Amino acid sequence: MKRPRGLVCECLGPTVCPDGAANGTCFTQPGGYCFVAVEEVLDENYRVVIDRTAGCLPPDESGFMQCKSSQVPHQHPKVIECCMDSDLCNRRLQPQLAEPSLDVTETPGVRGSGTNTPTLLVAAALCIALVAFLAAFLLLFRRRRRAGKRPPSPPAPHTAEVSSGSGSGLPLLVQRTVAKQIQMVESIGKGRYGEVWLARWRGERVAVKVFFTTEEASWFRETEIYQTVLMRHENILGFIAADIKGTGSWTQMLLITDYHENGSLHDYLQTVVLDTHGLMTMAYSIVSGLAHLHMDIFGTKGKPAIAHRDIKSKNILVKRNGQCAIADFGLAVRYVAERNEVDIAPNTRVGTRRYMAPEVLSENLDVSNFEAFKMADMYSLGLVLWEMCRRCATGDKAQFVEAYALPYHEFVPSDPSFEDMHAVVVAKGIRPPIPARWISAEPLSTLVNVMSECWHANPPVRLTALRVKKTLAKYNTETTIKLV
């Protein structure tokens, strides 16, 4: 008979407690179960330890089957006990893992026979050796599988209190414990890759991107790019750690980065009007980050050239000082100079259609030529500059400004298809319109020339990020921003 109300259950472990709390209580739905589970897991030093969790299960069939799952073999030894007779009933549950049995089964007629004792001893020794071999093989397999899911990283130093030396986040051994220390606060955004949370780590606010399980390739690639040697730059989103967290039933892939309260440039421009100084501060910071990304640094531990492949206002964050930081490297590609080849990660994502260069829309981009990827980034940068110029006020009293809009908003639907974008950008050669006020006002007129060259139909004609950075450098005298 189901209870008319839910149960109060004890919960242990941040993966099962509400809001990621370390311990406390949870509430089931009517007819739900309280459970306690113990499982053998590997810690950071690959030692087998017993992990105990407790919490709530739903009343449906899946919850019932979860309670009965101890009756079937598990690859990782696990025992679950459930109860539903009273509140906090799982406090008294003490599930125990079964002791491994090494007894040798005796055949009829052999038991008690003194003449076959040597045979039994030999058989027992062989069985023990076989079990030990299988246990060692299983442990090695589990280690390798765990290692295969870990993000790539430069070699971890001996101390866990300093950075990795590459400027690209914490040492690997520290990263592996960060997920256990994160306290989720609230969801601040969702996208096709997953969800972004505001969280706290050691008293500081951080951003945690939680990837969908179908986006493992994006998580792995972004982690790989962030941990590139010499990647850190003030105009590239600061990377802290990456980790995989979960139980036998679910997995979360986490990417922990700096948190910027102003959010994305796309959201920021919808509510904030810029003056010319603030516009140029933002523009210079964005192209500075892109120039660092595109640049290769030679040396013993040099930095490869990287192309972003998804430059857009939603992937650029606004910092408190008015500068910007480029984020989201799930589609990035690297140029491996030693082998003269482009390292393209296997990824089902293809970028954002609205910001795709003409050669990408027409499927003429030469994927073996790394310069082609960089020029596609520059086309997208031109569209971002256009978005920013619309929100920059001009005139004697700064009375002239356009409402925020996405590129090509008047030509294509809100979610354009490849065919929509190809018809406008490639077939008709249309580009976003330039208001007359931009041409007559500095420094907007300079940005008009820059964006026009960036979105040229012929990729080799487009400006490089370094050229744009040098053009805008004369306007970058301060780093603070004024809002109108």
Side-chain angles (χ1 to χ4, degrees):
M1 178 176 177
K2 292 187 176 180
R3 299 170 59 92
R5 66 173 183 85
L7 290 172
V8 179
C9 304
E10 181 183 33
C11 72
L12 296 173
T15 62
V16 292
C17 290
D19 302 320
N23 52 61
T25 59
C26 58
F27 299 89
T28 71
Q29 300 173 13
Y33 301 82
C34 299
F35 80 92
V36 173
V38 293
E39 182 182 14
E40 284 189 2
V41 298
L42 294 177
D43 64 8
E44 291 79 15
N45 298 317
Y46 299 112
R47 294 176 300 190
V48 178
V49 297
I50 303 300
D51 182 52
R52 177 185 172 91
T53 56
C56 299
L57 286 176
D60 56 13
E61 183 181 357
S62 62
F64 178 77
M65 295 303 293
Q66 182 82 354
C67 292
K68 296 296 185 180
S69 63
S70 302
Q71 299 177 6
V72 298
H74 283 69
Q75 182 177 0
H76 306 281
K78 183 175 183 179
V79 174
I80 302 177
E81 289 187 8
C82 302
C83 62
M84 59 180 299
D85 53 344
S86 63
D87 289 339
L88 302 175
C89 62
N90 57 341
R91 285 185 173 176
R92 69 171 185 269
L93 300 180
Q94 298 293 331
Q96 299 292 328
L97 291 172
E99 293 293 332
S101 176
L102 301 180
D103 294 338
V104 180
T105 303
E106 298 173 331
T107 57
V110 174
R111 183 170 182 173
S113 174
T115 58
N116 288 324
T117 299
T119 303
L120 290 176
L121 291 176
V122 171
L126 289 176
C127 288
I128 292 173
L130 179 60
V131 170
F133 173 81
L134 291 176
F137 178 83
L138 179 60
L139 182 60
L140 180 61
F141 174 79
R142 288 165 64 183
R143 284 186 180 181
R144 289 186 175 179
R145 189 175 67 172
R146 285 175 62 92
K149 288 188 175 182
R150 289 293 176 187
S153 171
H158 296 295
T159 174
E161 297 300 325
V162 298
S163 74
S164 61
S166 66
S168 52
L170 298 171
L172 179 60
L173 292 179
V174 178
Q175 289 185 38
R176 291 181 177 179
T177 63
V178 167
K180 299 177 182 178
Q181 303 168 352
I182 290 290
Q183 295 178 335
M184 298 293 196
V185 177
E186 62 176 330
S187 175
I188 56 177
K190 292 183 179 180
R192 59 188 172 187
Y193 54 81
E195 191 171 4
V196 179
W197 283 73
L198 168 63
R200 288 199 172 274
W201 177 59
R202 295 182 176 176
E204 299 290 335
R205 293 191 299 178
V206 296
V208 180
K209 185 189 285 189
V210 183
F211 288 77
F212 294 134
T213 53
T214 55
E215 294 292 335
E216 182 175 0
S218 294
W219 171 83
F220 190 88
R221 183 45 141 191
E222 192 159 3
T223 300
E224 195 176 30
I225 293 296
Y226 269 125
Q227 296 195 120
T228 301
V229 174
L230 300 178
M231 177 70 173
R232 186 170 290 276
H233 187 274
E234 63 177 337
N235 301 123
I236 292 176
L237 180 60
F239 168 76
I240 297 175
D243 203 357
I244 294 180
K245 156 184 177 181
T247 66
S249 58
W250 58 269
T251 301
Q252 283 185 333
M253 294 167 290
L254 307 180
L255 188 76
I256 299 104
T257 64
D258 292 342
Y259 170 71
H260 297 295
E261 59 191 20
N262 288 327
S264 71
L265 180 63
H266 171 269
D267 297 334
Y268 188 79
L269 292 177
Q270 296 187 51
T271 57
V272 176
V273 176
L274 306 174
D275 65 2
T276 54
H277 171 70
L279 170 68
M280 300 310 291
T281 298
M282 283 186 162
Y284 182 79
S285 66
I286 294 170
V287 75
S288 295
L290 190 59
H292 179 76
L293 205 62
H294 285 181
M295 176 174 40
D296 48 3
I297 302 174
F298 298 99
T300 305
K301 291 186 176 181
K303 171 194 164 295
I306 299 171
H308 190 282
R309 295 180 69 204
D310 199 14
I311 293 292
K312 59 180 179 179
S313 54
K314 287 187 177 180
N315 288 340
I316 298 172
L317 302 178
V318 180
K319 300 169 68 174
R320 183 176 296 179
N321 64 358
Q323 295 190 30
C324 294
I326 299 173
D328 195 343
F329 295 93
L331 289 175
V333 298
R334 296 183 297 191
Y335 175 65
V336 185
E338 295 80 5
R339 301 194 299 270
N340 189 28
E341 67 180 29
V342 181
D343 173 23
I344 304 177
N347 197 323
T348 57
R349 288 175 55 193
V350 293
T352 305
R353 291 184 286 272
R354 186 182 296 272
Y355 293 83
M356 283 183 178
E359 62 272 21
V360 179
L361 291 169
S362 58
E363 299 181 339
N364 292 328
L365 186 139
D366 182 5
V367 295
S368 64
N369 180 11
F370 182 73
E371 291 298 316
F373 289 103
K374 291 165 61 175
M375 290 300 100
D377 278 354
M378 297 309 297
Y379 169 88
S380 303
L381 175 67
L383 299 183
V384 172
L385 294 177
W386 180 86
E387 291 179 67
M388 296 165 62
C389 285
R390 285 183 61 91
R391 301 298 291 155
C392 179
T394 58
D396 294 339
K397 297 182 180 179
Q399 71 271 35
F400 302 116
V401 65
E402 289 85 25
Y404 176 77
L406 290 169
Y408 303 109
H409 68 281
E410 65 269 67
F411 305 110
V412 297
S414 59
D415 185 19
S417 64
F418 278 100
E419 291 74 19
D420 293 332
M421 295 307 303
H422 186 276
V424 171
V425 177
V426 180
K428 298 180 181 179
I430 295 176
R431 295 295 183 271
I434 305 295
R437 74 175 182 92
W438 297 6
I439 301 175
S440 60
E442 276 288 349
L444 269 70
S445 59
T446 298
L447 285 180
V448 168
N449 293 330
V450 168
M451 70 179 72
S452 298
E453 292 191 67
C454 284
W455 64 40
H456 197 281
N458 188 10
V461 176
R462 296 173 195 157
L463 299 175
T464 64
L466 186 58
R467 179 67 265 171
V468 176
K469 180 181 178 181
K470 290 181 178 179
T471 301
L472 303 185
K474 61 181 178 180
Y475 298 98
N476 186 50
T477 55
E478 300 177 14
T479 57
T480 56
I481 190 169
K482 297 179 183 178
L483 308 181
V484 178

